[in-house]
Amino acid sequence: MLGSPYNRTGNQPLTLGILGGGQLAKMLAQSAYQLGLQVAIIEHGENSPAGMMTKLEFSGGWSSQEDLEEFIKVSDIITLENEFINPSILEKIAERRLCFPSAETIAFIQDKFTQKQTFSNAGIPITEFQAIDSVQSALEFGSLHGFPFVLKTRTLGYDGYGNATIRNANDAQSAWNKFTQTEEPRELMAEKFVNFTKELAVMVARNRRGEVAVYPCVETIQENHICRVVIAPAQIDEALQHVAKEIALACVETINGVGVFGVEMFLTNEGKILVNEIAPRPHNSGHYTIEACHTSQYENAVRAVCNLPLGSPEMVAPAAVMVNLLGERSGSGIPDSVVDTLKHPTASLHLYGKNGSRKGRKMGHITALGQTADEALQSAIGAAKAIVW
Amino acid sequence: MLGSPYNRTGNQPLTLGILGGGQLAKMLAQSAYQLGLQVAIIEHGENSPAGMMTKLEFSGGWSSQEDLEEFIKVSDIITLENEFINPSILEKIAERRLCFPSAETIAFIQDKFTQKQTFSNAGIPITEFQAIDSVQSALEFGSLHGFPFVLKTRTLGYDGYGNATIRNANDAQSAWNKFTQTEEPRELMAEKFVNFTKELAVMVARNRRGEVAVYPCVETIQENHICRVVIAPAQIDEALQHVAKEIALACVETINGVGVFGVEMFLTNEGKILVNEIAPRPHNSGHYTIEACHTSQYENAVRAVCNLPLGSPEMVAPAAVMVNLLGERSGSGIPDSVVDTLKHPTASLHLYGKNGSRKGRKMGHITALGQTADEALQSAIGAAKAIVW
């Protein structure tokens, strides 16, 4: 199907295999089904948000040789929703199936230090950074580039996990202990603190032929290191939006990326744009694209890995706002009531169907379109506040 | 979940059971998943478009006592995509589960003669009609209301099947034979031919509290009795659009409908609006709502049967056009290529994943938004023509 060499027989739909079963995989699966594909999910655990949407669910995860083998067998093309997968597994898969993003791309970006080196070498604007191998070198970095600065684990960090703000020697020592005196000590790096006016993000889709779709530049608002609100387009000069889009595109081309990528950036107090980091998968900052753009990041991710022409990333309304629905308590993954939320008639509710909640966990989101950002913001935030956990 | 008494435990998502597994069920399932629900499908046959999207697939159909029993057990709320289900089965289900639309509603409309009587009694404008029990009475109808007229089976007709245009005594005799001299003879009715300028349709969602969402009035263009193109909104005076919407709402309230309903109407040469018929389910004329409205007919159908507040049916763009993708040959359900179709960047492609094609079979659809109907038409038709079967 879809002109792919991986249509095993003339009558079997192409099966997209997704490494991971969370909400990103769920929304990828939605788009795959819309295009008439079948979906296979491999995840550690049963009945994940995406796992419940298919019979081809492999709940032993990719660390189970058996499940990985079965998953590969039934899939025609494979992609991921989770960048924490060992590139060696991707290489193994790639021996037998088209798999995007590739192990090579993942290797460029999975280690945040390597990621920054790669971008730096390509002339992409980023903050000062350095590998850190001791408390001493951490403090030297601070002397050179100023306190506070950010100490990060080079791998496995997300939503603030694996980051520490270093104001002084005490902070340096305790962060060093926390990250290295553990069962799985991590390699560390330091980044110069960025004094920013806004945090920005741009989604970029790129298919196997190198065709690209660059989404609008959006503003993201974090709280406790977790994304809370996304405003599309970002309320900054169009010239700056354009610069952000160009930089994001450069990032993806530098790593020869195929699929969809979320590029996070800072707009500094001096009006410059610096790249923060890149995720090689659909991204929280791109959920708004489902209602707000001709083609969502999810659909373009599917098209990209299947090497199909990409759809327009342009917006269909002047403004859109997405608000995350974060867990407020432990317990059931199901809200007590969404009735008041749904009384906001132009708010689009997404609930991920996770089997349990905890404070701060991403449980769903709401997107609203508007003639202005304010209008969209009112609708989305009003709806989000009204949910009863 | 969702404030429903049918949340069996605090931690199980609500399961929406759908009678039928075709493309309408598929798109209903998409919306159910977006709202965090689970989905169960009962259909005659495996791997239907919706059946492949869930583990809770019952492929013996509702004529299998066993499968129906299991389907009822796992479902919390039940709806349908197929109006050809015996109301007695719906009654049986309703003894144990909330089931919408109800058997009562279905009984009003499943027999087209009863349907027209119900509307006529409520003062809803329809064409002249009569039950027909002989070739003679058919010819008398023609003498009274004019030739040609339409002879229809009262039950089980769709997309032109079960209709015959009667121009003379020969037509009357051969249609009578065709519909009655068979293994399963059908009861018949006659309708006065309507000389129409346009065919219109309006989708109406209505929840259990009687809250409604009335979608735009659209124009539908048929070819060989099958819907080919839908233009939203219909290019008629706003006053007429308003009348059509009011009439459609009256139809749904008359039958105490809960769920979503497709009301098809004629705009006569005299500028009057007459109701043609109503379908108690999502409808081909409403596929455009997925991209073009704040809340799709599918999502509002799910909300309606779950008794949740309905979302806005208003459009997010000035115009939208949907084009059906009909099979061009027998054989694989998978197109040879969609590459040229997808080169139309603002066209949204939907492929239903049916396991086989035949000429005229509904295999998918394309929707395009536009600033004007012409713009949307160009994009949608261009993309549709480019598909290679």
Side-chain angles (χ1 to χ4, degrees):
Chain A
M1 179 181 192
L2 305 184
S4 158
Y6 282 80
N7 182 5
R8 285 171 284 161
T9 76
N11 215 23
Q12 284 288 359
L14 196 90
T15 299
L16 179 71
I18 307 174
L19 295 154
Q23 67 265 28
L24 303 180
K26 174 175 186 161
M27 291 182 271
L28 278 169
Q30 298 270 44
S31 289
Y33 279 131
Q34 176 179 316
L35 289 171
L37 308 190
Q38 246 283 38
V39 174
I41 297 292
I42 184 163
E43 175 60 274
H44 300 82
E46 282 181 339
N47 282 328
S48 53
M52 75 168 75
M53 292 172 61
T54 176
K55 293 183 194 51
L56 304 174
E57 180 192 27
F58 302 92
S59 56
W62 52 84
S63 47
S64 153
Q65 292 265 52
E66 215 177 286
D67 274 17
L68 182 58
E69 177 59 29
E70 290 307 306
F71 168 79
I72 293 172
K73 271 192 191 157
V74 304
S75 303
D76 293 299
I77 292 180
I78 290 172
T79 191
L80 54 84
E81 67 133 19
N82 180 337
E83 68 271 40
F84 299 129
I85 183 162
N86 195 314
S88 65
I89 294 182
L90 297 175
E91 276 161 11
K92 178 177 163 187
I93 292 171
E95 286 167 13
R96 298 161 62 188
R97 295 287 185 269
L98 290 180
C99 184
F100 299 100
S102 66
E104 175 200 44
T105 293
I106 296 295
F108 276 130
I109 65 185
Q110 210 176 49
D111 179 322
K112 292 182 183 182
F113 180 74
T114 312
Q115 189 188 127
K116 282 199 146 55
Q117 271 188 321
T118 305
F119 290 152
S120 177
N121 294 343
I124 287 163
I126 55 177
T127 190
E128 273 87 358
F129 68 100
Q130 189 183 298
I132 297 296
D133 58 6
S134 65
V135 177
Q136 185 58 27
S137 65
L139 293 173
E140 279 165 13
F141 185 91
S143 300
L144 186 55
H145 297 291
F147 290 84
F149 64 91
V150 183
L151 194 67
K152 286 186 174 179
T153 61
R154 286 169 57 161
T155 55
L156 295 175
Y158 72 99
D159 286 354
Y161 297 110
N163 286 5
T165 302
I166 311 301
R167 297 173 195 78
N168 52 50
N170 278 348
D171 285 351
Q173 186 65 58
S174 64
W176 174 266
N177 293 347
K178 176 175 165 191
F179 292 147
T180 62
Q181 312 302 315
T182 65
E183 282 175 11
E184 294 175 3
R186 303 248 166 267
E187 284 191 285
L188 304 182
M189 65 182 290
E191 291 180 11
K192 178 181 176 184
F193 207 78
V194 178
N195 292 302
F196 60 82
T197 308
K198 290 180 190 283
E199 292 193 83
L200 307 173
V202 171
M203 302 304 306
V204 179
R206 184 167 177 271
N207 71 13
R208 284 148 51 189
R209 264 185 303 265
E211 294 162 356
V212 295
V214 183
Y215 282 84
C217 173
V218 304
E219 177 179 354
T220 66
I221 299 167
Q222 332 296 331
E223 203 176 273
N224 300 327
H225 304 285
I226 300 176
C227 178
R228 292 308 309 269
V229 178
V230 173
I231 301 172
Q235 295 176 288
I236 60 179
D237 281 350
E238 279 198 34
L240 267 177
Q241 293 180 40
H242 184 76
V243 167
K245 292 168 71 170
E246 290 291 307
I247 288 173
L249 177 54
C251 289
V252 176
E253 289 181 331
T254 297
I255 58 175
N256 196 25
V258 172
V260 76
F261 297 78
V263 183
E264 296 181 278
M265 292 164 281
F266 298 114
L267 175 60
T268 70
N269 290 350
E270 295 75 41
K272 297 287 170 225
I273 293 180
L274 299 181
V275 169
N276 179 8
E277 52 186 43
I278 187 172
R281 49 163 175 80
H283 195 257
N284 203 161
S285 64
H287 295 346
Y288 77 95
T289 63
I290 294 172
E291 288 83 8
C293 300
H294 283 283
T295 320
S296 75
Q297 65 168 344
Y298 297 101
E299 181 172 343
N300 263 342
V302 175
R303 295 196 197 190
V305 305
C306 293
N307 206 26
L308 292 166
L310 302 177
S312 165
E314 300 310 315
M315 289 181 68
V316 302
V321 167
M322 183 225 67
V323 177
N324 268 340
L325 297 174
L326 304 182
E328 295 173 11
R329 46 114 183 106
S330 295
S332 170
I334 302 162
D336 260 6
S337 178
V338 299
V339 170
D340 288 336
T341 287
L342 293 178
K343 283 180 178 165
H344 292 76
T346 60
S348 296
L349 171 66
H350 296 250
L351 285 168
Y352 304 147
K354 294 185 175 179
N355 55 18
S357 183
R358 61 172 182 272
K359 208 165 184 309
R361 190 177 193 192
K362 291 177 181 177
M363 304 302 293
H365 72 270
I366 284 169
T367 298
L369 308 183
Q371 289 305 302
T372 65
D374 270 340
E375 185 190 326
L377 204 60
Q378 298 263 20
S379 178
I381 288 192
K385 283 186 165 168
I387 197 166
V388 183
W389 282 104
Chain B
M1 178 181 196
L2 305 184
S4 161
Y6 282 80
N7 182 5
R8 283 170 287 160
T9 78
N11 215 24
Q12 286 286 2
L14 196 91
T15 298
L16 178 71
I18 307 174
L19 295 154
Q23 67 265 28
L24 304 179
K26 175 174 185 161
M27 291 183 270
L28 279 170
Q30 296 269 45
S31 288
Y33 279 131
Q34 177 179 315
L35 289 171
L37 308 191
Q38 247 282 38
V39 174
I41 298 291
I42 185 165
E43 174 60 272
H44 300 81
E46 284 183 336
N47 281 329
S48 52
M52 76 167 75
M53 290 171 62
T54 175
K55 292 182 196 50
L56 305 175
E57 180 191 27
F58 303 92
S59 55
W62 52 83
S63 47
S64 153
Q65 292 265 52
E66 215 177 284
D67 273 17
L68 182 58
E69 176 61 29
E70 289 308 305
F71 169 79
I72 292 172
K73 271 192 190 157
V74 303
S75 303
D76 293 301
I77 292 180
I78 291 171
T79 190
L80 54 83
E81 65 135 19
N82 180 337
E83 68 269 41
F84 299 129
I85 182 163
N86 195 314
S88 66
I89 293 183
L90 297 175
E91 276 162 9
K92 178 175 160 186
I93 292 172
E95 286 168 11
R96 297 162 63 188
R97 295 287 185 268
L98 289 179
C99 185
F100 298 101
S102 66
E104 176 201 42
T105 294
I106 296 294
F108 276 130
I109 61 185
Q110 209 174 49
D111 178 322
K112 291 180 183 182
F113 179 74
T114 311
Q115 189 185 127
K116 282 197 145 58
Q117 273 188 318
T118 306
F119 291 152
S120 176
N121 294 344
I124 288 162
I126 53 176
T127 190
E128 272 86 356
F129 68 100
Q130 191 183 297
I132 297 296
D133 58 5
S134 64
V135 177
Q136 184 59 29
S137 65
L139 292 172
E140 278 166 15
F141 184 92
S143 299
L144 185 57
H145 296 291
F147 291 84
F149 65 90
V150 184
L151 194 66
K152 286 185 175 180
T153 61
R154 287 171 56 162
T155 55
L156 296 175
Y158 73 100
D159 285 352
Y161 297 110
N163 285 6
T165 303
I166 311 300
R167 295 172 195 80
N168 51 48
N170 277 347
D171 285 351
Q173 186 66 58
S174 64
W176 174 265
N177 292 347
K178 178 174 163 190
F179 294 144
T180 64
Q181 313 300 316
T182 66
E183 282 175 12
E184 294 177 3
R186 303 247 165 266
E187 282 191 284
L188 304 182
M189 66 181 290
E191 291 179 10
K192 178 180 175 183
F193 207 78
V194 177
N195 292 303
F196 61 82
T197 308
K198 289 180 189 285
E199 292 193 84
L200 308 173
V202 171
M203 302 302 306
V204 178
R206 184 167 177 273
N207 70 14
R208 285 148 49 189
R209 266 186 299 267
E211 292 162 357
V212 296
V214 183
Y215 283 85
C217 173
V218 304
E219 177 180 353
T220 67
I221 300 167
Q222 333 295 329
E223 205 176 271
N224 301 325
H225 305 285
I226 300 176
C227 179
R228 292 308 309 266
V229 178
V230 172
I231 301 172
Q235 296 177 286
I236 61 180
D237 281 351
E238 279 198 34
L240 267 177
Q241 292 180 42
H242 183 77
V243 167
K245 291 168 72 169
E246 290 290 306
I247 289 173
L249 176 55
C251 288
V252 175
E253 289 180 331
T254 296
I255 59 175
N256 196 26
V258 171
V260 76
F261 297 78
V263 183
E264 295 181 278
M265 293 163 281
F266 298 113
L267 175 61
T268 71
N269 291 351
E270 295 77 38
K272 297 285 171 229
I273 293 180
L274 300 181
V275 170
N276 180 7
E277 52 187 40
I278 187 171
R281 50 164 175 79
H283 196 257
N284 203 162
S285 64
H287 294 346
Y288 77 96
T289 63
I290 295 173
E291 287 84 7
C293 299
H294 283 285
T295 321
S296 75
Q297 64 168 345
Y298 297 101
E299 182 172 343
N300 263 342
V302 174
R303 295 194 198 191
V305 305
C306 294
N307 206 26
L308 292 168
L310 301 178
S312 166
E314 300 310 315
M315 288 179 69
V316 301
V321 167
M322 181 225 67
V323 177
N324 268 340
L325 296 174
L326 304 181
E328 296 174 13
R329 44 115 184 104
S330 294
S332 170
I334 302 162
D336 260 5
S337 177
V338 300
V339 171
D340 288 337
T341 287
L342 293 179
K343 284 180 180 166
H344 292 76
T346 60
S348 297
L349 171 65
H350 298 250
L351 285 167
Y352 303 146
K354 295 185 174 178
N355 53 19
S357 183
R358 61 172 182 272
K359 208 167 184 309
R361 189 176 194 194
K362 291 178 180 176
M363 305 301 293
H365 73 269
I366 284 169
T367 298
L369 308 183
Q371 291 304 303
T372 65
D374 271 338
E375 186 191 324
L377 204 59
Q378 297 263 20
S379 177
I381 288 192
K385 282 187 166 167
I387 198 166
V388 182
W389 282 104

